[in-house]
């Protein structure tokens, strides 16, 4: 049987492992937040809830809101962690390169966006989501950039 000191050590090790795992998974988000954190009280009018995307190597399945407002990409987290993970408002001019992907881990067809110069991180959004964002926004904001940056 484990004594109380052993239980304490086990607790500390478990919390440390979980904290480190959280930090690794959300490090790209925190890097983006250093440049693009926003205090928008409400999401923009044009946004889609509980979407999936890949940020760097982290798959975020069904836990983010994605939208567009004033030529900026809006991202927010939808979980109890949203108090720690602040929303982002990424200026489309900060997207330095866009690649079309015939297949990606979460999607059949997707776009990989390179953010920042020098590159801060990459973001992979499904082709379907990009098309819906452009349709709702009324402007081919990502498609136009694809042609410019290739």
């Amino acid at each position: 049987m484990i004594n109380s000191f052993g239980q304490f050590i086990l607790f500390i090790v478990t919390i440390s492992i979980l904290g480190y795992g959280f930090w690794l998974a959300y490090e790209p988000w925190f890097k983006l937040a250093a440049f693009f954190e926003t205090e928008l009280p409400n999401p923009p009018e044009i946004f889609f809830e509980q979407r999936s995307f890949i940020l760097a190597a982290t798959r975020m399945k069904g836990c983010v809101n994605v939208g567009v407002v004033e030529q900026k990409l809006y991202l927010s987290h939808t979980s109890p962690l949203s108090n720690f993970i602040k929303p982002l408002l990424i200026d489309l001019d900060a997207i330095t390169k866009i690649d079309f992907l015939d297949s990606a881990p979460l999607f059949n067809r997707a776009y990989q966006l390179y953010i920042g110069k020098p590159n801060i991180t990459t973001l992979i959004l499904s082709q379907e989501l990009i098309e819906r964002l452009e349709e709702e926004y009324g402007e081919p904001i990502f498609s136009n950039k694809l042609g410019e940056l290739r």
Side-chain angles (χ1 to χ4, degrees), residues 99-113:
D99 288 333
F100 178 74
L101 307 173
D102 277 328
S103 66
L106 288 177
F107 317 108
N108 289 335
R109 302 170 76 95
Y111 290 95
Q112 183 172 21
L113 290 67

Side-chain angles (χ1 to χ4, degrees), residues 45-111:
E45 287 183 31
I46 301 166
F47 83 103
F48 299 98
E49 295 180 291
Q50 299 178 339
R51 297 298 165 162
S52 300
F53 65 68
I54 300 171
L55 185 59
T58 303
R59 296 177 189 187
M60 298 191 176
K61 293 177 71 174
C63 65
V64 289
N65 299 323
V66 181
V68 177
V69 60
E70 299 172 7
Q71 292 283 319
K72 295 180 181 180
L73 180 64
Y74 172 83
L75 305 172
S76 67
H77 204 272
T78 59
S79 78
L81 299 174
S82 59
N83 291 332
F84 303 105
I85 304 169
K86 299 297 182 194
L88 304 175
L89 200 56
I90 302 169
D91 193 324
L92 295 181
D93 290 336
I95 298 171
T96 59
K97 182 180 175 186
I98 299 176
D99 288 333
F100 178 74
L101 307 173
D102 277 328
S103 66
L106 288 177
F107 317 108
N108 289 335
R109 302 170 76 95
Y111 290 95

Side-chain angles (χ1 to χ4, degrees), residues 21 26 98 121 123:
Y26 286 95
I98 299 176
T121 192
L123 172 66

